[in-house]
Amino acid sequence: MKEIEIQALKNEHPLLNNLISLQEVFWVNPNIEQFQTAIKKSPLTQEDVKDAEVRLQRFAPYIKKAFPETEKSDGIIESPLVKIPSMKKSLERTYDQQIFGELLLKCDSHLPISGSIKARGGIYEVLKTAESLALQHGMLTIDEDYSILHSDKFRHFFSQFSIAVGSTGNLGLSIGIISAQLGFKVTVHMSADAKQWKKDLLRSKQVEVIEYEADYSKAVEEGRLQAANNQTCHFIDDENSHDLFLGYAVAASRLSKQLEALQVKVDQEHPLFVYLPCGVGGGPGGVAFGLKLMFQDNVHCFFAEPTHSPCMLLGLMTGLHDQISVQDVGIDNITAADGLAVGRASGFVGKTIEPFLSGNYTVSDEQLYLLLKELLDTENIFLEPSALAGMIGPVKLCNENTDYILKHNLTEKMQNATHIIWGTGGSMVPKEEMELYIQTGSTLASRN
Ligand SMILES: *Cc1c(COP(=O)(O)O)cnc(C)c1O
């Protein structure tokens, strides 16, 4: 991008200066619309989400058999929703900022099979692909018990087909594990940010892992090119896939039941705020879309990104979506939050979610490590750095400098508010890696 173009963008959006100088920013989306208006323009609908939900139900007997850890939940891949009152107190003390309402953590870190939010969308798209192939070839009808897929007959059938994906790590992990279990040949194109243990784990499951020295966008591009030359290969396109998005969106109806079980109300007098770590956008976008369908104007969704990788915020703020990358404006896309190390956001997600989204903010790597340590100390829950990006959201929102609450007439309702931090990953991180993260958090904390 030319210097003169960047200057013009800065003039139009002064916050861009703060973004470029890597300061933490909080951006309120001026293009949010009432739910009823926004949904009319949406390329995806409630029916699409319902279809995904019913498909996952059809696969539950298979999942239960193939992944015994899902026995308790009858083959439904879901995570706990827990209250974190000690963390709330600690945040209030650390940041000298009252948080109005209750704080909950959605533990997608503890989703079965792959221990991150990618166990929603990633697994869903592979299952959908398997179902289409089996239906097309007369191997299966939709009324059958899908546990028959857990057999040599089906593994042999699926071995004629392949699945490919580009990833910073966790998407590759989810897709590699489920594809290999079904019997597909599977190739994961990993960006330079991907952790060694994720590559090792996949290789141990006979997944082909191709490594790149470049970032996520390059790994996706290469994967897409290689898959295009192969008729029997399905490429899971993290930048454009509607199926991934819908797989994530199913989270909302499940969450709604969990909120009821905890006797948490969401209505006009009881606003719900949700904070979602954002990489390319599919995970947080899909979840936020599902939540808006469920709770409409009573839910307020915010995306959180590292200060070094604010691709979605950049795309939304400038209106350029996927036509601009963080590197275009001189930001390096180098962050400890490997799951969020994306320089160019999904244009599909940005445009789809824009009228529904309340805002975005950025958080420094240092902050992520401190929050990681603080959550462990107060609630004994371990998350990976990426998954902590949501945690600072309520502090930033409740800060009087943020005019969102005023603008939406929420001041009076804030004592009835619920804040959900979406904890997007962490339970599969090996012990030694975990110790390093905690050590970094401790060192930073002792300096403050
Ligand atoms: C992938 C990922 C995200 C963000 O999902 P996107 O679809 O890339 O936006 C957040 N947290 C973790 C831990 C992830 O792995």
Side-chain angles (χ1 to χ4, degrees), residues 180-219:
Q181 177 67 258
L182 281 159
F184 284 110
K185 288 203 277 292
V186 49
T187 307
V188 177
H189 300 265
M190 287 285 205
S191 68
D193 319 276
K195 299 289 180 214
Q196 190 59 44
W197 67 267
K198 293 180 185 171
K199 300 177 209 167
D200 295 343
L201 193 146
L202 285 174
R203 288 188 173 123
S204 78
K205 296 184 187 288
Q206 319 325 317
V207 172
E208 184 187 11
V209 178
I210 303 182
E211 301 176 57
Y212 296 88
E213 300 209 3
D215 79 355
Y216 163 88
S217 305
K218 177 74 179 167

Side-chain angles (χ1 to χ4, degrees), residues 239-240 315 319-325 328 344-348 351:
E239 292 179 323
N240 299 296
L320 292 172
H321 297 288
D322 56 350
Q323 302 304 305
I324 190 167
S325 72
D328 286 341
R344 187 186 300 277
S346 159
F348 151 63
K351 289 169 202 165

Side-chain angles (χ1 to χ4, degrees), residues 348-360:
F348 151 63
V349 174
K351 289 169 202 165
T352 302
I353 209 65
E354 187 165 27
F356 298 101
L357 192 67
S358 294
N360 288 49

Side-chain angles (χ1 to χ4, degrees), residues 116-118 170 238 248 277-284 339-340 342 384 386-387 424-425:
S116 83
I117 188 170
K118 307 299 191 313
N170 284 340
D238 199 15
Y248 292 118
C278 179
V280 73
L340 312 180
V342 177
E384 62 186 89
S386 298
T424 45

